Amino acid sequence: MTANATRPRQEREEIVLTVGPPAHGGHCVARPADDPSGRVVFVRHALPGETVRAVMTGKSAKIWRADAVEVLSASPDRVEPLWPEAGPGGVGGAELCHVALPAQRTWKRWVLADCLRRIGGEEVASAVAALPEATGAGAVPVEPMASEAAAEASEAGRVRARAGTGTRTRVALVVDDEGRAGMHAFRSGRVVPVRSLPLAVPAIRDLGLTERAVWRRHYRPGMRVRALAPGVGEPVVLLSDAEGDRVLTAAGRPTGRRRVEEVVDASGLGLGELRYSVHVSGFWQVHRDAPAALVERVVRAAVPDPVRAGAARVLELYSGAGLLTLPLAALGCEIRSLEADERAVRDARRTLHDFGAARLHVGRAGADSVASLGSGFGPGRDGRADVVVLDPPRRGAGREVVEAVAALRPRRIVLVGCDPAALARDLRTFIGRGCRIVAMSALDMFPHTHHFETIAVLEGA
């Protein structure tokens, strides 16, 4: 594999690296091939065990970074990149697309195990390693989403080769100075034009956002472009710039449509199809299988016996547009939810207007808000929540929130983490406050990237 040079060759600083284990963030830990004890370099577009020629992309007192541009000795897990535009010097949205999909999940399992031990500490790592679902690597396996599992099991080689593509129902682009749609380069404000969107669902790819003249007529330099393929109805395109937001139909015509309807199959919980109202600028899980997978895993973890769920008092933090709130309410739980994004709470209120036992609050999660909402359930257990569900942003819940949750002494805590380092920090705090990890699972909701989702279940002190 040789990538197109992004700068004249004489200006590049090249180095031959021996590639070691993966590191959090989509890199591998490497060292100079002629100096095995030399300076650590975090290299992208490589695989453990390979020898690569790399171009240095950044140096600081603490960290050196590089991109592999030529593979001198290849790993058996290397495949032809599914999206060459995400290769060296390209966009930052598919940094593992050169790795076979099963090996991507092994990569993520290694990263999870490393974060749990290095950041969470020996107590967290040992607690997870002792779980029945943990593997010999000291972490739980990272499981494929339903569509990837089906594609990998297909007898058609072409279908297997495309596993993990065509899954994203949301795509974000930026318009460059020449009016072309693209994405930012890795760790850069530079916009790289793209010609294809292989990770997007077919309904978004068919829009032709990167090549059709109907869109170019609307584009302006610096404009943000967001395409949505909702569960119900045709795709819409949201254009945002200094003049405000505009929503266009799939044909590129202005529309007053500002909301989309999403559908989640919750038949495994006995709830049939759940329907959600979401603003076009609101957050929704991007993988087409992710909402149903999270509802199934998180709700079952929160209320293991759905028949008796009506007895549960649930505090839900970082509740978003109500993805998890709706099934919990539909099962009869008494819920207090908290979300800082006012628009997301308005979405959730539209979705849950028939559920009087769900009280939705706008506000930042902190010690006071957790204590107030978590102990405001009325008689029994001093009015405290039985169950706490947290789905914080990438930075995690943080010490203040975790300590406040632990102080409620709930019977069960379900922590959803989209960053393994932040998850490890939060688990360390929970364990330090007497909580116990009883289950964990990980889902590969972002194939061809280094991201994944982890669900940890704890019992309160």
Side-chain angles (χ1 to χ4, degrees), residues 157-219:
R158 184 176 181 277
V159 173
R160 291 196 303 273
R162 302 297 295 176
T165 65
T167 63
R168 296 193 182 184
T169 64
R170 266 75 174 161
V171 169
L173 303 170
V174 184
V175 180
D176 72 2
D177 291 341
E178 297 182 30
R180 300 170 298 182
M183 297 180 179
H184 287 118
F186 176 68
R187 297 175 63 87
S188 170
R190 178 172 59 92
V191 178
V192 179
V194 295
R195 296 180 299 276
S196 61
L197 299 170
L199 302 187
V201 294
I204 289 180
R205 292 203 304 266
D206 291 346
L207 293 173
L209 294 170
T210 62
E211 69 272 6
R212 290 180 58 198
V214 64
W215 303 111
R216 293 288 292 269
R217 288 196 293 269
H218 291 286
Y219 291 164

Short mmCIF file of all heavy atoms in Angstrom, two decimals, residues 157-219:
data_model
loop_
_atom_site.label_atom_id
_atom_site.label_comp_id
_atom_site.label_asym_id
_atom_site.label_seq_id
_atom_site.Cartn_x
_atom_site.Cartn_y
_atom_site.Cartn_z
N GLY A 157 -19.31 -13.37 -1.37
CA GLY A 157 -18.06 -12.71 -1.02
C GLY A 157 -18.16 -11.20 -1.07
O GLY A 157 -17.57 -10.50 -0.24
N ARG A 158 -18.91 -10.68 -2.04
CA ARG A 158 -19.04 -9.22 -2.16
C ARG A 158 -19.75 -8.64 -0.95
O ARG A 158 -19.41 -7.56 -0.47
CB ARG A 158 -19.79 -8.87 -3.44
CG ARG A 158 -19.88 -7.38 -3.72
CD ARG A 158 -20.54 -7.10 -5.06
NE ARG A 158 -20.60 -5.68 -5.32
CZ ARG A 158 -21.54 -4.87 -4.85
NH1 ARG A 158 -22.49 -5.37 -4.07
NH2 ARG A 158 -21.53 -3.58 -5.13
N VAL A 159 -20.77 -9.36 -0.45
CA VAL A 159 -21.49 -8.90 0.73
C VAL A 159 -20.58 -8.90 1.94
O VAL A 159 -20.55 -7.95 2.73
CB VAL A 159 -22.74 -9.78 0.98
CG1 VAL A 159 -23.40 -9.41 2.30
CG2 VAL A 159 -23.73 -9.63 -0.17
N ARG A 160 -19.79 -9.97 2.10
CA ARG A 160 -18.85 -10.03 3.23
C ARG A 160 -17.84 -8.90 3.16
O ARG A 160 -17.50 -8.30 4.18
CB ARG A 160 -18.13 -11.39 3.26
CG ARG A 160 -19.02 -12.57 3.60
CD ARG A 160 -18.18 -13.77 3.99
NE ARG A 160 -17.24 -14.16 2.95
CZ ARG A 160 -17.52 -14.96 1.94
NH1 ARG A 160 -18.74 -15.47 1.83
NH2 ARG A 160 -16.60 -15.28 1.04
N ALA A 161 -17.36 -8.61 1.95
CA ALA A 161 -16.34 -7.57 1.80
C ALA A 161 -16.87 -6.19 2.15
O ALA A 161 -16.09 -5.31 2.54
CB ALA A 161 -15.80 -7.58 0.37
N ARG A 162 -18.18 -5.99 2.02
CA ARG A 162 -18.76 -4.67 2.28
C ARG A 162 -19.36 -4.57 3.68
O ARG A 162 -20.02 -3.59 4.02
CB ARG A 162 -19.85 -4.36 1.25
CG ARG A 162 -19.40 -4.37 -0.19
CD ARG A 162 -18.39 -3.31 -0.48
NE ARG A 162 -18.93 -1.97 -0.33
CZ ARG A 162 -18.21 -0.85 -0.46
NH1 ARG A 162 -16.92 -0.94 -0.73
NH2 ARG A 162 -18.76 0.33 -0.31
N ALA A 163 -19.12 -5.56 4.51
CA ALA A 163 -19.67 -5.53 5.87
C ALA A 163 -19.21 -4.27 6.60
O ALA A 163 -18.05 -3.87 6.50
CB ALA A 163 -19.24 -6.77 6.64
N GLY A 164 -20.14 -3.65 7.31
CA GLY A 164 -19.83 -2.44 8.05
C GLY A 164 -20.03 -1.17 7.28
O GLY A 164 -19.94 -0.07 7.84
N THR A 165 -20.30 -1.26 5.97
CA THR A 165 -20.63 -0.08 5.19
C THR A 165 -22.14 0.04 5.07
O THR A 165 -22.88 -0.90 5.40
CB THR A 165 -20.01 -0.16 3.79
OG1 THR A 165 -20.60 -1.26 3.06
CG2 THR A 165 -18.51 -0.37 3.87
N GLY A 166 -22.61 1.18 4.61
CA GLY A 166 -24.04 1.38 4.39
C GLY A 166 -24.86 1.32 5.66
O GLY A 166 -26.02 0.89 5.63
N THR A 167 -24.31 1.79 6.79
CA THR A 167 -25.02 1.65 8.06
C THR A 167 -25.38 2.99 8.71
O THR A 167 -26.19 3.02 9.62
CB THR A 167 -24.18 0.85 9.06
OG1 THR A 167 -22.96 1.56 9.33
CG2 THR A 167 -23.86 -0.54 8.52
N ARG A 168 -24.76 4.07 8.31
CA ARG A 168 -24.95 5.35 9.01
C ARG A 168 -26.14 6.13 8.47
O ARG A 168 -26.20 6.43 7.28
CB ARG A 168 -23.69 6.20 8.91
CG ARG A 168 -22.50 5.57 9.60
CD ARG A 168 -21.37 6.54 9.76
NE ARG A 168 -20.22 5.90 10.40
CZ ARG A 168 -19.13 6.56 10.74
NH1 ARG A 168 -19.03 7.85 10.51
NH2 ARG A 168 -18.13 5.91 11.32
N THR A 169 -27.06 6.45 9.38
CA THR A 169 -28.26 7.19 8.99
C THR A 169 -28.08 8.69 9.14
O THR A 169 -29.00 9.45 8.83
CB THR A 169 -29.46 6.75 9.85
OG1 THR A 169 -29.21 7.09 11.23
CG2 THR A 169 -29.71 5.26 9.72
N ARG A 170 -26.93 9.13 9.60
CA ARG A 170 -26.57 10.54 9.69
C ARG A 170 -25.16 10.72 9.13
O ARG A 170 -24.26 9.96 9.45
CB ARG A 170 -26.57 11.03 11.14
CG ARG A 170 -27.86 11.67 11.63
CD ARG A 170 -28.91 10.69 11.91
NE ARG A 170 -30.09 11.31 12.53
CZ ARG A 170 -31.28 10.74 12.54
NH1 ARG A 170 -31.45 9.55 11.96
NH2 ARG A 170 -32.31 11.34 13.11
N VAL A 171 -25.00 11.75 8.31
CA VAL A 171 -23.69 12.07 7.74
C VAL A 171 -23.50 13.58 7.80
O VAL A 171 -24.41 14.34 7.45
CB VAL A 171 -23.57 11.59 6.28
CG1 VAL A 171 -22.33 12.15 5.62
CG2 VAL A 171 -23.55 10.07 6.22
N ALA A 172 -22.33 14.01 8.27
CA ALA A 172 -22.02 15.44 8.36
C ALA A 172 -20.87 15.77 7.42
O ALA A 172 -19.85 15.08 7.39
CB ALA A 172 -21.65 15.79 9.79
N LEU A 173 -21.05 16.84 6.65
CA LEU A 173 -20.05 17.31 5.70
C LEU A 173 -19.78 18.80 5.95
O LEU A 173 -20.56 19.47 6.62
CB LEU A 173 -20.52 17.10 4.26
CG LEU A 173 -20.89 15.67 3.85
CD1 LEU A 173 -21.58 15.67 2.49
CD2 LEU A 173 -19.65 14.80 3.82
N VAL A 174 -18.69 19.28 5.36
CA VAL A 174 -18.35 20.70 5.40
C VAL A 174 -18.00 21.13 3.99
O VAL A 174 -17.40 20.36 3.22
CB VAL A 174 -17.15 20.97 6.34
CG1 VAL A 174 -16.87 22.46 6.44
CG2 VAL A 174 -17.40 20.38 7.72
N VAL A 175 -18.38 22.34 3.61
CA VAL A 175 -18.11 22.85 2.26
C VAL A 175 -16.80 23.61 2.28
O VAL A 175 -16.58 24.48 3.13
CB VAL A 175 -19.26 23.75 1.79
CG1 VAL A 175 -18.98 24.28 0.38
CG2 VAL A 175 -20.59 22.99 1.80
N ASP A 176 -15.91 23.28 1.33
CA ASP A 176 -14.61 23.95 1.29
C ASP A 176 -14.70 25.29 0.55
O ASP A 176 -15.78 25.71 0.11
CB ASP A 176 -13.54 23.03 0.68
CG ASP A 176 -13.69 22.83 -0.82
OD1 ASP A 176 -14.60 23.42 -1.45
OD2 ASP A 176 -12.87 22.06 -1.39
N ASP A 177 -13.57 25.95 0.39
CA ASP A 177 -13.56 27.29 -0.21
C ASP A 177 -13.95 27.28 -1.68
O ASP A 177 -14.28 28.34 -2.24
CB ASP A 177 -12.17 27.92 -0.06
CG ASP A 177 -11.84 28.27 1.38
OD1 ASP A 177 -12.79 28.38 2.19
OD2 ASP A 177 -10.65 28.44 1.70
N GLU A 178 -13.91 26.13 -2.31
CA GLU A 178 -14.30 26.03 -3.72
C GLU A 178 -15.70 25.48 -3.89
O GLU A 178 -16.11 25.14 -5.00
CB GLU A 178 -13.29 25.15 -4.47
CG GLU A 178 -11.89 25.74 -4.49
CD GLU A 178 -10.91 24.87 -5.27
OE1 GLU A 178 -11.36 24.20 -6.22
OE2 GLU A 178 -9.72 24.87 -4.93
N GLY A 179 -16.45 25.38 -2.80
CA GLY A 179 -17.83 24.94 -2.89
C GLY A 179 -18.01 23.44 -2.98
O GLY A 179 -19.08 22.97 -3.37
N ARG A 180 -17.00 22.68 -2.58
CA ARG A 180 -17.08 21.22 -2.65
C ARG A 180 -17.35 20.65 -1.27
O ARG A 180 -16.81 21.13 -0.27
CB ARG A 180 -15.78 20.64 -3.20
CG ARG A 180 -15.41 21.12 -4.59
CD ARG A 180 -14.01 20.70 -4.98
NE ARG A 180 -13.01 21.29 -4.09
CZ ARG A 180 -11.70 21.12 -4.21
NH1 ARG A 180 -11.22 20.36 -5.20
NH2 ARG A 180 -10.86 21.69 -3.37
N ALA A 181 -18.16 19.59 -1.22
CA ALA A 181 -18.47 18.95 0.06
C ALA A 181 -17.35 18.01 0.46
O ALA A 181 -16.84 17.23 -0.36
CB ALA A 181 -19.78 18.18 -0.04
N GLY A 182 -16.96 18.07 1.72
CA GLY A 182 -15.90 17.21 2.20
C GLY A 182 -15.98 17.03 3.70
O GLY A 182 -17.01 17.30 4.33
N MET A 183 -14.90 16.56 4.28
CA MET A 183 -14.80 16.36 5.71
C MET A 183 -13.44 16.88 6.17
O MET A 183 -12.53 17.06 5.36
CB MET A 183 -14.95 14.87 6.08
CG MET A 183 -16.30 14.29 5.75
SD MET A 183 -16.38 12.53 6.20
CE MET A 183 -18.08 12.15 5.73
N HIS A 184 -13.32 17.08 7.47
CA HIS A 184 -12.05 17.56 8.00
C HIS A 184 -11.00 16.45 7.99
O HIS A 184 -11.31 15.28 8.26
CB HIS A 184 -12.22 18.07 9.42
CG HIS A 184 -12.94 19.38 9.50
ND1 HIS A 184 -14.15 19.53 10.14
CD2 HIS A 184 -12.63 20.60 8.99
CE1 HIS A 184 -14.55 20.78 10.03
NE2 HIS A 184 -13.65 21.46 9.35
N ALA A 185 -9.78 16.83 7.69
CA ALA A 185 -8.67 15.90 7.85
C ALA A 185 -8.47 15.62 9.34
O ALA A 185 -8.91 16.40 10.19
CB ALA A 185 -7.40 16.50 7.24
N PHE A 186 -7.81 14.52 9.63
CA PHE A 186 -7.60 14.12 11.02
C PHE A 186 -6.86 15.21 11.78
O PHE A 186 -5.82 15.69 11.34
CB PHE A 186 -6.81 12.81 11.06
CG PHE A 186 -6.46 12.34 12.43
CD1 PHE A 186 -7.43 11.92 13.31
CD2 PHE A 186 -5.13 12.33 12.85
CE1 PHE A 186 -7.11 11.49 14.59
CE2 PHE A 186 -4.79 11.89 14.12
CZ PHE A 186 -5.78 11.48 14.99
N ARG A 187 -7.41 15.61 12.94
CA ARG A 187 -6.81 16.61 13.82
C ARG A 187 -6.47 17.90 13.08
O ARG A 187 -5.40 18.50 13.26
CB ARG A 187 -5.54 16.05 14.50
CG ARG A 187 -5.81 14.87 15.41
CD ARG A 187 -4.51 14.29 15.96
NE ARG A 187 -3.80 15.24 16.78
CZ ARG A 187 -4.01 15.43 18.09
NH1 ARG A 187 -4.92 14.69 18.71
NH2 ARG A 187 -3.31 16.31 18.77
N SER A 188 -7.39 18.32 12.20
CA SER A 188 -7.11 19.49 11.38
C SER A 188 -8.41 20.21 11.03
O SER A 188 -9.48 19.59 10.96
CB SER A 188 -6.41 19.06 10.08
OG SER A 188 -6.33 20.12 9.16
N GLY A 189 -8.32 21.50 10.79
CA GLY A 189 -9.46 22.26 10.30
C GLY A 189 -9.52 22.26 8.79
O GLY A 189 -10.45 22.83 8.21
N ARG A 190 -8.56 21.60 8.13
CA ARG A 190 -8.53 21.55 6.68
C ARG A 190 -9.64 20.64 6.16
O ARG A 190 -9.82 19.52 6.63
CB ARG A 190 -7.16 21.04 6.21
CG ARG A 190 -7.01 20.89 4.71
CD ARG A 190 -5.57 20.56 4.36
NE ARG A 190 -5.13 19.33 5.00
CZ ARG A 190 -5.21 18.13 4.44
NH1 ARG A 190 -5.75 17.99 3.22
NH2 ARG A 190 -4.77 17.06 5.08
N VAL A 191 -10.40 21.13 5.18
CA VAL A 191 -11.48 20.35 4.59
C VAL A 191 -10.95 19.59 3.38
O VAL A 191 -10.36 20.17 2.47
CB VAL A 191 -12.66 21.26 4.17
CG1 VAL A 191 -13.77 20.42 3.51
CG2 VAL A 191 -13.21 22.01 5.38
N VAL A 192 -11.15 18.28 3.39
CA VAL A 192 -10.73 17.42 2.29
C VAL A 192 -11.97 17.03 1.50
O VAL A 192 -12.87 16.36 2.03
CB VAL A 192 -10.03 16.14 2.81
CG1 VAL A 192 -9.61 15.26 1.64
CG2 VAL A 192 -8.83 16.52 3.66
N PRO A 193 -12.09 17.44 0.23
CA PRO A 193 -13.26 17.03 -0.57
C PRO A 193 -13.33 15.52 -0.69
O PRO A 193 -12.29 14.84 -0.77
CB PRO A 193 -13.01 17.68 -1.94
CG PRO A 193 -12.02 18.76 -1.68
CD PRO A 193 -11.16 18.29 -0.54
N VAL A 194 -14.54 14.97 -0.68
CA VAL A 194 -14.72 13.53 -0.84
C VAL A 194 -15.63 13.26 -2.03
O VAL A 194 -16.47 14.08 -2.39
CB VAL A 194 -15.31 12.88 0.43
CG1 VAL A 194 -14.35 13.00 1.59
CG2 VAL A 194 -16.65 13.50 0.80
N ARG A 195 -15.42 12.10 -2.63
CA ARG A 195 -16.22 11.71 -3.79
C ARG A 195 -17.26 10.66 -3.43
O ARG A 195 -18.23 10.47 -4.16
CB ARG A 195 -15.31 11.18 -4.90
CG ARG A 195 -14.36 12.21 -5.45
CD ARG A 195 -13.48 11.62 -6.56
NE ARG A 195 -12.65 10.52 -6.05
CZ ARG A 195 -11.48 10.71 -5.45
NH1 ARG A 195 -11.02 11.93 -5.25
NH2 ARG A 195 -10.77 9.67 -5.03
N SER A 196 -17.04 9.95 -2.32
CA SER A 196 -17.94 8.85 -1.98
C SER A 196 -18.22 8.86 -0.49
O SER A 196 -17.44 9.42 0.30
CB SER A 196 -17.32 7.51 -2.39
OG SER A 196 -16.10 7.30 -1.69
N LEU A 197 -19.30 8.21 -0.09
CA LEU A 197 -19.71 8.10 1.31
C LEU A 197 -20.08 6.65 1.61
O LEU A 197 -21.24 6.31 1.84
CB LEU A 197 -20.90 9.03 1.59
CG LEU A 197 -20.66 10.53 1.36
CD1 LEU A 197 -21.98 11.29 1.45
CD2 LEU A 197 -19.66 11.07 2.37
N PRO A 198 -19.11 5.74 1.62
CA PRO A 198 -19.42 4.32 1.72
C PRO A 198 -20.03 3.89 3.05
O PRO A 198 -20.68 2.85 3.10
CB PRO A 198 -18.07 3.64 1.51
CG PRO A 198 -17.06 4.67 1.89
CD PRO A 198 -17.66 5.98 1.48
N LEU A 199 -19.84 4.67 4.12
CA LEU A 199 -20.41 4.28 5.40
C LEU A 199 -21.87 4.67 5.52
O LEU A 199 -22.58 4.18 6.41
CB LEU A 199 -19.61 4.89 6.55
CG LEU A 199 -18.12 4.54 6.61
CD1 LEU A 199 -17.50 5.09 7.89
CD2 LEU A 199 -17.90 3.04 6.52
N ALA A 200 -22.36 5.54 4.65
CA ALA A 200 -23.75 6.02 4.73
C ALA A 200 -24.72 4.98 4.20
O ALA A 200 -24.39 4.16 3.33
CB ALA A 200 -23.90 7.31 3.95
N VAL A 201 -25.95 5.01 4.72
CA VAL A 201 -26.99 4.12 4.21
C VAL A 201 -27.29 4.49 2.76
O VAL A 201 -27.05 5.64 2.33
CB VAL A 201 -28.28 4.21 5.07
CG1 VAL A 201 -28.04 3.68 6.47
CG2 VAL A 201 -28.81 5.63 5.11
N PRO A 202 -27.81 3.55 1.96
CA PRO A 202 -28.07 3.84 0.54
C PRO A 202 -28.92 5.08 0.32
O PRO A 202 -28.70 5.83 -0.65
CB PRO A 202 -28.77 2.56 0.06
CG PRO A 202 -28.23 1.49 0.93
CD PRO A 202 -28.05 2.12 2.28
N ALA A 203 -29.90 5.33 1.18
CA ALA A 203 -30.77 6.50 0.99
C ALA A 203 -29.98 7.80 1.01
O ALA A 203 -30.35 8.76 0.31
CB ALA A 203 -31.86 6.52 2.05
N ILE A 204 -28.91 7.86 1.80
CA ILE A 204 -28.07 9.07 1.82
C ILE A 204 -27.12 9.07 0.64
O ILE A 204 -26.90 10.10 -0.01
CB ILE A 204 -27.33 9.17 3.16
CG1 ILE A 204 -28.31 9.51 4.28
CG2 ILE A 204 -26.22 10.22 3.08
CD1 ILE A 204 -27.69 9.64 5.65
N ARG A 205 -26.52 7.92 0.32
CA ARG A 205 -25.61 7.87 -0.83
C ARG A 205 -26.34 8.29 -2.10
O ARG A 205 -25.77 8.99 -2.95
CB ARG A 205 -25.04 6.47 -0.99
CG ARG A 205 -24.09 6.05 0.13
CD ARG A 205 -23.15 4.95 -0.33
NE ARG A 205 -23.86 3.78 -0.82
CZ ARG A 205 -24.18 2.72 -0.09
NH1 ARG A 205 -23.86 2.70 1.20
NH2 ARG A 205 -24.80 1.69 -0.61
N ASP A 206 -27.61 7.89 -2.21
CA ASP A 206 -28.37 8.21 -3.42
C ASP A 206 -28.65 9.70 -3.57
O ASP A 206 -29.03 10.15 -4.67
CB ASP A 206 -29.69 7.44 -3.43
CG ASP A 206 -29.51 5.94 -3.61
OD1 ASP A 206 -28.41 5.52 -4.00
OD2 ASP A 206 -30.47 5.18 -3.36
N LEU A 207 -28.48 10.47 -2.51
CA LEU A 207 -28.69 11.92 -2.62
C LEU A 207 -27.66 12.57 -3.53
O LEU A 207 -27.92 13.62 -4.13
CB LEU A 207 -28.63 12.57 -1.24
CG LEU A 207 -29.73 12.22 -0.23
CD1 LEU A 207 -29.41 12.83 1.13
CD2 LEU A 207 -31.08 12.72 -0.73
N GLY A 208 -26.47 11.99 -3.60
CA GLY A 208 -25.42 12.57 -4.44
C GLY A 208 -24.87 13.88 -3.90
O GLY A 208 -24.56 14.79 -4.67
N LEU A 209 -24.72 13.98 -2.58
CA LEU A 209 -24.32 15.24 -1.96
C LEU A 209 -22.94 15.71 -2.40
O LEU A 209 -22.65 16.91 -2.35
CB LEU A 209 -24.32 15.09 -0.43
CG LEU A 209 -25.68 14.87 0.23
CD1 LEU A 209 -25.50 14.50 1.68
CD2 LEU A 209 -26.55 16.12 0.09
N THR A 210 -22.08 14.80 -2.84
CA THR A 210 -20.72 15.19 -3.19
C THR A 210 -20.54 15.46 -4.69
O THR A 210 -19.48 15.94 -5.08
CB THR A 210 -19.73 14.10 -2.77
OG1 THR A 210 -20.02 12.88 -3.48
CG2 THR A 210 -19.80 13.84 -1.28
N GLU A 211 -21.57 15.17 -5.50
CA GLU A 211 -21.35 15.34 -6.94
C GLU A 211 -22.50 16.01 -7.70
O GLU A 211 -22.27 16.59 -8.76
CB GLU A 211 -21.04 13.99 -7.60
CG GLU A 211 -22.20 13.00 -7.68
CD GLU A 211 -22.32 12.12 -6.45
OE1 GLU A 211 -21.58 12.33 -5.49
OE2 GLU A 211 -23.17 11.21 -6.47
N ARG A 212 -23.71 16.00 -7.19
CA ARG A 212 -24.83 16.51 -7.97
C ARG A 212 -24.90 18.03 -7.94
O ARG A 212 -24.72 18.67 -6.90
CB ARG A 212 -26.15 15.93 -7.46
CG ARG A 212 -26.33 14.45 -7.75
CD ARG A 212 -27.65 13.95 -7.21
NE ARG A 212 -28.77 14.67 -7.77
CZ ARG A 212 -29.99 14.69 -7.24
NH1 ARG A 212 -30.22 14.04 -6.11
NH2 ARG A 212 -30.95 15.35 -7.82
N ALA A 213 -25.19 18.61 -9.11
CA ALA A 213 -25.23 20.07 -9.24
C ALA A 213 -26.33 20.69 -8.40
O ALA A 213 -26.20 21.84 -7.95
CB ALA A 213 -25.42 20.46 -10.71
N VAL A 214 -27.42 19.94 -8.15
CA VAL A 214 -28.53 20.50 -7.37
C VAL A 214 -28.07 20.91 -5.98
O VAL A 214 -28.57 21.90 -5.41
CB VAL A 214 -29.69 19.49 -7.28
CG1 VAL A 214 -29.29 18.23 -6.52
CG2 VAL A 214 -30.92 20.12 -6.64
N TRP A 215 -27.09 20.21 -5.44
CA TRP A 215 -26.58 20.57 -4.12
C TRP A 215 -25.52 21.66 -4.22
O TRP A 215 -25.48 22.56 -3.37
CB TRP A 215 -26.00 19.33 -3.42
CG TRP A 215 -27.00 18.23 -3.29
CD1 TRP A 215 -27.00 17.02 -3.93
CD2 TRP A 215 -28.19 18.25 -2.49
NE1 TRP A 215 -28.09 16.29 -3.59
CE2 TRP A 215 -28.84 17.02 -2.69
CE3 TRP A 215 -28.75 19.18 -1.62
CZ2 TRP A 215 -30.04 16.68 -2.06
CZ3 TRP A 215 -29.94 18.86 -0.99
CH2 TRP A 215 -30.58 17.63 -1.21
N ARG A 216 -24.69 21.59 -5.24
CA ARG A 216 -23.64 22.60 -5.39
C ARG A 216 -24.23 24.00 -5.48
O ARG A 216 -23.60 24.98 -5.06
CB ARG A 216 -22.79 22.30 -6.62
CG ARG A 216 -21.94 21.04 -6.55
CD ARG A 216 -20.76 21.20 -5.60
NE ARG A 216 -19.79 22.15 -6.10
CZ ARG A 216 -18.75 21.83 -6.86
NH1 ARG A 216 -18.55 20.57 -7.21
NH2 ARG A 216 -17.90 22.75 -7.25
N ARG A 217 -25.44 24.10 -6.02
CA ARG A 217 -26.07 25.42 -6.12
C ARG A 217 -26.40 26.00 -4.75
O ARG A 217 -26.50 27.22 -4.59
CB ARG A 217 -27.35 25.33 -6.96
CG ARG A 217 -27.11 25.12 -8.44
CD ARG A 217 -28.36 25.43 -9.24
NE ARG A 217 -29.43 24.49 -9.01
CZ ARG A 217 -29.62 23.38 -9.71
NH1 ARG A 217 -28.79 23.09 -10.71
NH2 ARG A 217 -30.62 22.57 -9.45
N HIS A 218 -26.57 25.15 -3.76
CA HIS A 218 -26.90 25.62 -2.41
C HIS A 218 -25.67 25.82 -1.54
O HIS A 218 -25.74 26.53 -0.54
CB HIS A 218 -27.82 24.59 -1.72
CG HIS A 218 -29.18 24.50 -2.31
ND1 HIS A 218 -30.16 25.46 -2.11
CD2 HIS A 218 -29.76 23.54 -3.10
CE1 HIS A 218 -31.27 25.10 -2.74
NE2 HIS A 218 -31.05 23.95 -3.34
N TYR A 219 -24.55 25.19 -1.89
CA TYR A 219 -23.38 25.20 -1.02
C TYR A 219 -22.69 26.57 -1.02
O TYR A 219 -22.59 27.25 -2.05
CB TYR A 219 -22.37 24.14 -1.46
CG TYR A 219 -22.82 22.71 -1.25
CD1 TYR A 219 -22.16 21.66 -1.89
CD2 TYR A 219 -23.88 22.40 -0.42
CE1 TYR A 219 -22.54 20.34 -1.70
CE2 TYR A 219 -24.27 21.08 -0.22
CZ TYR A 219 -23.61 20.06 -0.87
OH TYR A 219 -23.99 18.76 -0.68
#
